[in-house]
Amino acid sequence: ACGTASAHRAENEPPPVSVATTSAHVEPLEVLHRASGTVRGRNTAVLTSRTTGYVRAIKVQSGDRVTAGQVLATLEAHDVEASVRRARAGFDQSLASRGEAENGLVAAKASAAIARSTRDRLAKLFETQSISAQELDDAEARARAAIAQEEMAEARVRASRSRIDQAKAEIGEASATLDYAKITAPFSGRVIERRVDPGNLATPGMPILVVEEEGTLRVESSVDESLAGAIHLGDRATVEVDALAAPLEGKVTEIVPSVDAASRAFVVKVELAGDVAKLRPGMFARAVFHTGARPRLVVPTSAVTTSGALDRVFVVDGDRVRLRMITTGETQGALTEVLSGLSGGERVVTAPAPGLRDGNRTTSGE
């Protein structure tokens, strides 16, 4: 009876399944360190007010593209505008005073020239006893007075020119202060934040807008202080962003030398390469740093299947396959690290078919 039952089971057992197998083996895998980070532009500018005044207009919204020098917001500056008008009026007055002084100088030069000529002629007549000494003294006095008037006219011209220079400086100062009422873009980019609305009172240092430069993006990540000696400028890094189907390649371009006392981490900046059109500043990202390699027991990633939270592989045992639960580590491309549940040299099914079951007979090959 027992022999009949065994023969019956053998007749109903499925035929052997042909599977491809490979050996679990030790192979160097890269040591990867992941750090959370944020996508940012190369340059971010917080535009602040440099004067006090009510916000008259905000000409952009968050997300708008701007060009370098574009006026983004304006503040009320009636008192500064009055200062500019006053400075320009002073400049016009200085110009008029200079013209008057120059005309006075011309007249004084002419009078001085006549007085000198008259003095010289009377001096010759005095030599021939044609005039009295009194007349010569009067001519000499008139000449000295005319020369003094000429010198005074020259001083007035110099003073008028100094007043013109002063008026120009006052116009420049008032105009520069008036420019403070205009918030302009320092570079071409995108507005990522608008912090005030029209009607708000702006004070010096108060943030108005935040603008981020367009072009190359980077990820700023906080890295644990224990890795301070493992990451260097120029190292390659891989950046994972949930919004992208595939990771991006990057390069470490800046390492902040100080360590934050609260988080015990330092900032590493990774410049991104490739298609970053879908990225937006402020997105969450993970920076993966490659810091060498070490030997680890690995199997093909395709050999690992999951059931709930359990990882498993099919191990070849004689002419049958056995389902084995394992603990996995990192997965790097085609290879997955095995932490426990498997020994080196054991053969595993490379790509188990959906219908493969524990105990199935198999004919295996490389």
Side-chain angles (χ1 to χ4, degrees), residues 220-231:
E220 297 183 7
S221 58
S222 296
V223 180
D224 188 82
E225 63 181 354
S226 62
L227 301 176
I231 300 175

Side-chain angles (χ1 to χ4, degrees), residues 323-344:
L323 191 60
R324 183 85 59 82
M325 301 301 170
I326 62 172
T327 303
T328 60
E330 290 184 358
T331 296
Q332 296 184 19
L335 296 177
T336 295
E337 178 186 12
V338 177
L339 300 177
S340 64
L342 199 63
S343 301

Side-chain angles (χ1 to χ4, degrees), residues 14-19 321 353 355-356 360-364:
V17 179
S18 178
V19 294
V321 293
L356 191 63
N360 283 164
R361 287 192 301 156
T362 180
T363 57
S364 60

Side-chain angles (χ1 to χ4, degrees), residues 41-298:
R42 177 180 290 276
N43 292 319
T44 302
V46 179
L47 307 184
T48 62
S49 172
R50 292 188 289 179
T51 185
T52 300
Y54 288 98
V55 179
R56 181 185 301 169
I58 302 290
K59 301 183 178 181
V60 292
Q61 300 291 336
S62 297
D64 289 352
R65 296 182 183 277
V66 297
T67 57
Q70 178 181 341
V71 177
L72 309 181
T74 56
L75 309 179
E76 287 186 355
H78 299 307
D79 53 342
V80 181
E81 292 171 352
S83 298
V84 172
R85 291 193 296 270
R86 184 167 53 250
R88 287 175 178 168
F91 177 72
D92 293 338
Q93 183 179 2
S94 298
L95 288 178
S97 298
R98 185 184 65 179
E100 181 181 353
E102 289 175 345
N103 290 334
L105 177 60
V106 171
K109 285 181 177 294
S111 298
I114 292 174
R116 290 190 190 96
S117 177
T118 300
R119 180 196 60 189
D120 293 342
R121 285 197 302 270
L122 292 179
K124 291 179 180 180
L125 291 175
F126 179 75
E127 291 175 357
T128 59
Q129 303 296 317
S130 300
I131 61 171
S132 64
Q134 182 63 42
E135 291 176 310
L136 179 60
D137 291 341
D138 291 342
E140 183 69 28
R142 287 192 295 272
R144 286 197 296 270
I147 292 173
Q149 290 294 329
E150 180 182 11
E151 291 174 350
M152 290 175 62
E154 290 176 345
R156 283 194 292 270
V157 169
R158 290 193 296 270
S160 65
R161 290 172 179 171
S162 297
R163 285 194 293 272
I164 288 174
D165 292 339
Q166 180 181 356
K168 287 181 178 178
E170 290 174 352
I171 291 176
E173 180 181 2
S175 298
T177 305
L178 184 61
D179 287 340
Y180 293 167
K182 297 178 181 178
I183 309 299
T184 59
F187 42 70
S188 297
R190 184 191 297 269
V191 178
I192 63 173
E193 191 175 353
R194 169 176 160 171
R195 297 191 178 179
V196 299
D197 293 313
N200 293 148
L201 178 63
T203 56
M206 176 180 175
I208 306 294
L209 297 163
V210 181
V211 178
E212 199 146 45
E213 187 177 13
E214 285 190 321
T216 304
L217 297 176
R218 65 186 181 187
V219 170
E220 297 183 7
S221 58
S222 296
V223 180
D224 188 82
E225 63 181 354
S226 62
L227 301 176
I231 300 175
H232 308 88
L233 289 176
D235 286 354
R236 70 184 185 93
T238 304
V239 175
E240 301 169 347
V241 182
D242 293 341
L244 303 180
L248 296 173
E249 290 299 318
K251 182 175 68 173
V252 176
T253 57
E254 185 177 345
I255 299 175
V256 177
S258 61
V259 176
D260 182 71
S263 63
R264 300 300 178 187
F266 62 99
V267 175
V268 178
K269 300 179 182 180
V270 179
E271 186 172 311
L272 300 178
D275 185 12
V276 296
K278 293 183 180 180
L279 296 184
R280 295 290 182 270
M283 281 184 168
F284 174 78
R286 299 178 188 85
V288 183
F289 300 98
H290 306 257
T291 58
R294 63 179 176 85
R296 284 178 272 185
L297 180 66
V298 296

Side-chain angles (χ1 to χ4, degrees), residues 30 316 365:
E30 287 188 295
V316 177

